[in-house]
Amino acid sequence: MTFIGDNNQLFGLAESTWLWLDQFGILFGDIALIVGILGGVIAWLQRDRIRRWFSFNRFPVSGREADDEERWDALLFTVSKAEIPQWVMEAKKPRAVAFLATEQSGDAARKLVDHARSAGIDALVPKQVDDPDDPAQAREEAARLIQRLRDKGHGRIAVDVTGGKTPMSIGAFMAAQEAHCDTLYVSSDFDPALKQPVMRSAKIRCITKAP
C-alpha cells in the first residue's frame, strides 16, 4: 500500500493543501502559546483565590480542644446569650470582636459590645439578621463582618458558631470557610435550673482551621 499519489504528495493531496495545513499548524501553535502564557499570568495573579478553591470544604482540624495559648486577632460570634462570648473574649483576649445577632439576642450583643470596649477590645456595631432560619442571610452578614475586620488590619480571624439558631450558625460557618477563617465551638454542661451553660466546664473546640 502506498500513501504517495501521482503528484508525489502524501495521500495524493495537492501541494497547496499541505501548505495551508502547515500554516494552520503554525497559527494553532501560536494561539496555544499565547493562551498558555495568559493562563499562567492569570493563575499567578489569582493564586490566592485558586488555592482557596482547591482547599474549599477541606477540614484539616475537627473537634480538637484549642490550646490555652492559641490566639486570634479577631473573633466573630453568633449570639444567643452573652455568657459564652464573654467567657471566650476573656480567655482569648482578641484585639477586635464582631457579633451576629437576631432581634431576640440584640440586647445580649449590645452588652457584649460594652463589655469588650470596657476591656480595651475594639468591637464592631452588631449585625442583625432578620430571619435566623435563613442561612443565606447569615452567611452574607457574617461575610460583611469578616471583611470589616480584615479592613481594620486583622489577619487571623476565627468565627465562633456556638450561639444562634442552627441555620444561622451554618451560614456563619459557610462565610468563615469561604473567607479562610478558623471556626470554633464552645462545649459546656448546661444547668437546667438556671437555664444557662456551666462555664467552669466550658471548652473551646476548633471545628476547622484555615490552611
Side-chain angles (χ1 to χ4, degrees), residues 35-192:
V35 170
I37 292 173
L38 289 176
V41 171
I42 293 172
W44 172 254
L45 295 175
Q46 300 293 325
R47 59 191 181 279
D48 292 336
R49 181 178 295 180
I50 293 171
R51 184 173 62 249
R52 285 196 297 268
W53 185 85
F54 277 110
S55 63
F56 185 63
N57 281 346
R58 294 181 183 178
F59 308 112
V61 176
S62 179
R64 73 169 177 83
E65 187 174 348
D67 298 334
D68 291 339
E69 297 183 358
E70 195 162 9
R71 295 289 185 270
W72 292 271
D73 295 335
L75 295 172
L76 165 60
F77 298 89
T78 53
V79 179
S80 292
K81 295 184 178 180
E83 290 87 356
I84 288 179
Q86 182 173 318
W87 178 82
V88 174
M89 282 191 286
E90 292 170 354
K92 294 304 176 183
K93 298 178 174 58
R95 292 164 50 204
V97 290
F99 304 100
L100 187 63
T102 64
E103 183 178 356
Q104 289 73 25
S105 62
D107 287 342
R110 286 184 283 273
K111 290 178 181 177
L112 287 165
V113 168
D114 292 340
H115 177 81
R117 290 174 177 172
S118 68
I121 300 172
D122 182 21
L124 302 184
V125 175
K127 280 284 187 181
Q128 183 172 304
V129 295
D130 298 323
D131 183 1
D133 292 315
D134 181 6
Q137 186 181 147
R139 173 185 176 185
E140 181 179 342
E141 296 296 348
R144 288 175 178 169
L145 288 171
I146 291 170
Q147 187 57 53
R148 286 186 61 193
L149 291 170
R150 288 235 165 98
D151 291 343
K152 284 177 167 284
H154 303 299
R156 194 176 182 209
I157 301 171
V159 178
D160 184 333
V161 298
T162 310
K165 298 184 72 173
T166 300
M168 180 174 161
S169 295
I170 291 173
F173 179 87
M174 294 168 66
Q177 289 297 290
E178 291 168 356
H180 257 219
C181 298
D182 296 351
T183 55
L184 311 175
Y185 180 86
V186 178
S187 62
S188 68
D189 296 333
F190 188 80
D191 188 330

